Amino acid sequence: GCSTLTNQGIPAITVGLFTSGGVPCCGQTPVSVHVTMRQGDREVALSGYRDRDSSVDEQGSAMRVTFSGLSPVDPAEAGRLNLTLSAFYEGVSLSVTREIVLLPDGLALMPPWGVWGAPLAVVSDSGPWTVHAPLPPFAAVLTSLDSTQARTRAEDKLEVGVRLFDRSDKDISAASLVGATMQTAVGGVATFSGLSITGVAGGGP
């Protein structure tokens, strides 16, 4: 398997036929290869050429087919997906499946009322807040190509973390930020609630 950012598409993939001993073979016979992508039981639509034929070469040569320029039609697709390449060779059905992790390429803050694309307001009020008291809840959104809200599942295990910095840009999270600082993004959204700040006072980023 491999991972790539959603705005970069799927890396070029080369498939070949091999003997039972792992030796490349079968270049003398034209083979048609088809590629599909699924997330769980759902097929993911792909843009680009999904069917390719191998070139006929001399006896004893290696069969090779390369797919490039593939990407999901929906830019919101993200997370763990399975890419399957399948072919028929002399009446035998062959296939290989590999996992590809499409990582969102951006992160944005969502307004507390949950309307993506609305005027930005990170929390319901701008403070000041009391030390030790819970901060207002807020959410972060994983985004894909063209700032599209990424479609992610809990099983993709894509997590968003929050840290606290003082005005000198020093990370003081470990000493001063209390609560669950890592959240899984489901539906592209990671929600933080119950966080509080301790041991410091004053303004900061």
Side-chain angles (χ1 to χ4, degrees):
C2 69
S3 61
T4 183
L5 295 174
T6 52
N7 64 356
Q8 295 178 351
I10 299 169
I13 297 170
T14 299
V15 64
L17 291 179
F18 297 81
T19 67
S20 57
V23 179
C25 71
C26 315
Q28 71 279 3
T29 304
V31 179
S32 296
V33 182
H34 178 69
V35 61
T36 56
M37 176 173 275
R38 305 187 74 85
Q39 188 177 60
D41 296 329
R42 179 178 64 90
E43 183 169 353
V44 175
L46 289 172
S47 63
Y49 292 104
R50 295 176 295 145
D51 295 276
R52 291 191 180 276
D53 297 332
S54 66
S55 301
V56 177
D57 211 333
E58 60 189 24
Q59 186 73 26
S61 61
M63 170 265 180
R64 289 283 188 275
V65 173
T66 298
F67 290 87
S68 60
L70 293 173
S71 62
V73 171
D74 184 351
E77 297 289 359
R80 300 179 185 276
L81 302 104
N82 289 318
L83 197 70
T84 299
L85 298 111
S86 56
F88 281 94
Y89 179 72
E90 296 184 349
V92 178
S93 177
L94 303 168
S95 67
V96 61
T97 300
R98 291 291 183 268
E99 182 183 77
I100 288 184
V101 182
L102 288 181
L103 299 172
D105 54 75
L107 182 67
L109 291 169
M110 174 180 274
W113 50 87
V115 180
W116 180 232
L120 180 63
V122 179
V123 291
S124 55
D125 65 79
S126 58
W129 306 298
T130 306
V131 173
H132 302 299
L135 297 174
F138 61 94
V141 183
L142 295 174
T143 61
S144 297
L145 187 65
D146 298 327
S147 298
T148 303
Q149 183 174 332
R151 184 186 298 114
T152 61
R153 309 167 301 163
E155 51 265 45
D156 293 325
K157 298 180 180 178
L158 295 178
E159 293 186 323
V160 178
V162 61
R163 294 184 295 166
L164 180 67
F165 294 83
D166 64 15
R167 280 185 285 187
S168 65
D169 287 334
K170 179 183 177 182
D171 189 341
I172 58 173
S173 306
S176 302
L177 189 59
V178 179
T181 57
M182 296 291 294
Q183 296 291 343
T184 300
V186 179
V189 179
T191 302
F192 295 87
S193 61
L195 290 172
S196 61
I197 298 171
T198 182
V200 294

